[in-house]
Amino acid sequence: LVMVQAYRLLAAEQYKLGWDYPLHLGVTEAGEGEDGRMKSSIGIGALLLDGLGDTIRVSLTEAPELEIDPCRRLAQLGTDAVQGGWGIEDFEETQRDFKTFSRREVALPEQREDDAVDFRGLLHRDGSVLTAVTAEQLENPEPLYVELGCKLAVGMPFKDIATSDSILLKEVPTSSTATTALKRLQESNVGVLVPKAELEKAELKNAVAIYTLAELKAEMDAGSVQLPGGAGRYALAVDGSEDEELLAQAFKSDAVMILLNPPKTKRLQASRRVFENILKAKSEIPVIHHIVFDAAADKDTVVMESGSMIGGLLVDALGEGVCIDAPLSTNELRTISFGLLQGSRMRNTKTEFVSCPSCGRTLFDLQEVTAMIQERTGHLPGVSIAIMGCIVNGPGEMADADFGYVGGAPGKVDLYVGKEVVKRGIPNEEACDELITLIKENGRWVEKEEEESAEEVAA
């Protein structure tokens, strides 16, 4: 978020001064794996889609050659946007201000006296994750509960810190196994969204009906919204092409959320146009970014395009959550979604790691040590740990971290709390244990919980 704002401010000053110096983009302490690619995409991809950036470097805590593919993917995304003329017709943007940052006030779902289930769990105040699920998956519910991030107790699902807030169905399942699974999810505070047209074919109690704006207009013009098939609330599907009259009617409705899904080549600008109208209307309806990938999309494509296109909006405080629909496992979709929210400085569901790319100054095996620390401390949401190979740039680049693990000399590690070094010259083989002790001494440690797996339930 800070990186994106800093580059935008720099570009704005260059425009004022008439300068045309090229911009080099990079997220230096992105880390590794999925999180490293997500953070790089949120920072670099978001700027490239705005036409900012001339050279880029993706810096990962991985072997240098593994940085090439994600770098090429981001460069190609930026090139496609420029050469393809991505965007929409010009509109005046008066509400978004890249010089300041504040999230808008939204109205989360409230409970009514006659509700059979608790609808307050549909969305989360810090950012929501909706996960696309098929009717077929509901035929084997226990593995699905696990993939959705639920805790299991004797086969029953319960919401945990990183459970999908709601699920999105394209059709209403009819088997008793599937409907029982849906009921159990609803009872555990997981919302179920289904298109209005499907609920008119088959009833699903306590569902959230998804209306198009044309469907909403027809019902509102007739007098009021009549929910179909046992639905208890409704949401709105918007693609960004709707005229301002339709959008204005939508913003006056009592929908619990808007699912915003413009086409790929128009997503950034069409979404900004929708938010321009939302902010002008002072609407408090939460907006969930819904992005759908085709069958050919691999995991890196999903991570990096979601980070670039949706992350570029979330870092402007435009949006309250995400729903990713792609040919990946439910667990992958869920973890990517939570990674996107955390990378956009919204909802923290796991430890935040800051780690540098290795270089000639690195005083320990950065990849091996990072993996070890992540394995032992990755269950601490709200805690930020920096892993830096040397003291040259490390202390400055990890300034926002709660704890720091920094190479101080060959075979030795220094530990930090915030910006202050508190332990020096710890032997490498003892440093991870000392880091955990330090976290405990500062009251930030919790023990890992034992979880019941789907295999144990089946047994």
Side-chain angles (χ1 to χ4, degrees):
L1 189 154
V2 174
M3 177 260 193
V4 172
Q5 285 189 317
Y7 273 106
R8 285 176 175 167
L9 287 168
L10 174 60
E13 286 301 310
Q14 288 207 55
Y15 283 128
K16 283 183 185 178
L17 297 168
W19 294 356
D20 57 358
Y21 292 105
L23 294 176
H24 174 72
L25 309 182
V27 180
T28 306
E29 296 84 31
E32 53 84 42
E34 182 181 305
D35 287 342
R37 285 158 177 78
M38 178 62 77
K39 291 177 187 176
S40 297
S41 301
I42 293 170
I44 298 170
L47 291 166
L48 290 176
L49 291 178
D50 260 339
L52 298 177
D54 301 279
T55 63
I56 65 174
R57 182 196 168 185
V58 173
S59 301
L60 302 174
T61 310
E62 300 180 15
E65 64 271 17
L66 297 180
E67 298 174 340
I68 297 172
D69 178 68
C71 194
R72 283 176 173 165
R73 287 174 185 259
L74 288 175
Q76 190 61 54
L77 186 64
T79 300
D80 289 345
V82 172
Q83 294 183 349
W86 290 11
I88 60 174
E89 292 182 4
D90 289 348
F91 68 96
E92 185 178 5
E93 193 174 17
T94 63
Q95 300 298 309
R96 183 173 66 97
D97 182 4
F98 67 86
K99 296 179 182 178
T100 62
F101 181 86
S102 63
R103 298 208 175 273
R104 70 189 186 101
E105 294 291 328
V106 297
L108 295 174
E110 295 181 348
Q111 194 68 358
R112 300 171 187 164
E113 189 175 343
D114 58 347
D115 285 334
V117 299
D118 191 344
F119 284 98
R120 290 172 294 185
L122 287 171
L123 300 173
H124 192 281
R125 68 176 184 272
D126 296 327
S128 304
V129 168
L130 279 64
T131 303
V133 169
T134 66
E136 290 75 18
Q137 287 177 285
L138 290 162
E139 297 297 331
N140 189 14
E142 283 83 4
L144 176 61
Y145 297 155
V146 173
E147 288 204 274
L148 289 171
C150 294
K151 286 183 178 180
L152 293 180
V154 198
M156 299 293 288
F158 295 90
K159 253 187 176 177
D160 201 1
I161 189 171
T163 304
S164 297
D165 298 292
S166 296
I167 62 172
L168 181 65
L169 286 170
K170 295 178 181 177
E171 59 184 347
V172 178
T174 55
S175 75
S176 60
T177 300
T179 53
T180 298
L182 286 175
K183 183 180 179 181
R184 287 178 175 172
L185 285 170
Q186 289 174 324
E187 289 172 347
S188 67
N189 222 11
V190 175
V192 179
L193 283 74
V194 188
K196 171 183 179 286
E198 295 301 315
L199 288 172
E200 290 174 336
K201 298 176 187 176
E203 180 176 301
L204 180 60
K205 290 182 179 179
N206 306 308
V208 177
I210 304 172
Y211 281 69
T212 65
L213 293 200
E215 290 171 332
L216 176 71
K217 184 178 187 304
E219 295 209 7
M220 291 184 76
D221 288 350
S224 64
V225 176
Q226 300 296 317
L227 296 180
R233 299 286 192 280
Y234 70 95
L236 300 174
V238 174
D239 66 14
S241 66
E242 297 86 356
D243 62 37
E244 293 191 3
E245 182 181 350
L246 272 179
L247 290 173
Q249 191 172 39
F251 302 150
K252 293 176 183 177
S253 73
D254 59 353
V256 292
M257 71 183 84
I258 289 171
L259 297 173
L260 181 56
N261 183 21
K264 174 179 177 178
T265 59
K266 300 179 179 180
R267 177 170 292 276
L268 185 66
Q269 293 79 11
S271 296
R272 285 176 177 168
R273 173 180 169 270
V274 170
F275 277 101
E276 174 72 15
N277 285 275
I278 286 176
L279 293 168
K280 280 182 178 177
K282 295 181 169 53
S283 171
E284 295 184 343
I285 302 177
V287 177
I288 305 301
H289 293 287
H290 185 195
I291 185 168
V292 181
F293 291 87
D294 61 35
D298 60 16
K299 185 175 181 179
D300 277 356
T301 296
V302 174
V303 169
M304 303 191 77
E305 291 192 5
S306 296
S308 300
M309 296 180 185
I310 297 177
L313 294 159
L314 295 179
V315 296
D316 276 335
L318 302 180
E320 285 70 48
V322 60
C323 177
I324 301 175
D325 191 346
L328 303 176
S329 73
T330 299
N331 184 61
E332 288 173 320
L333 294 176
R334 178 180 63 86
T335 57
I336 291 170
S337 299
F338 277 111
L340 175 53
L341 293 183
Q342 184 153 331
S344 301
R345 299 289 183 95
M346 293 178 67
R347 183 174 174 183
N348 286 329
T349 53
K350 58 187 177 182
T351 312
E352 180 73 15
F353 291 101
V354 178
S355 57
C356 64
S358 56
C359 71
R361 296 190 301 266
T362 302
L363 295 170
F364 52 81
D365 189 322
L366 198 61
Q367 296 171 52
E368 180 181 319
V369 169
T370 299
M372 177 177 61
I373 293 175
Q374 287 180 338
E375 171 64 26
R376 298 186 64 184
T377 66
H379 62 292
L380 304 172
V383 174
S384 175
I385 299 174
I387 307 162
M388 297 292 170
C390 74
I391 59 172
V392 175
N393 294 324
E397 293 175 348
M398 69 175 200
D400 292 335
D402 299 312
F403 302 95
Y405 182 109
V406 181
K412 304 290 184 179
V413 170
D414 297 339
L415 296 181
Y416 287 69
V417 175
K419 299 177 182 180
E420 181 183 355
V421 59
V422 294
K423 295 186 179 183
R424 294 183 185 275
I426 302 168
N428 280 353
E429 58 272 15
E430 301 173 12
C432 188
D433 289 334
E434 288 293 323
L435 173 63
I436 292 171
T437 298
L438 190 61
I439 296 171
K440 290 179 178 178
E441 290 173 351
N442 282 268
R444 306 295 298 275
W445 181 262
V446 296
E447 298 295 337
K448 284 186 179 180
E449 293 185 10
E450 293 293 329
E451 296 186 5
E452 185 178 10
S453 69
E455 291 76 11
E456 289 172 331
V457 172

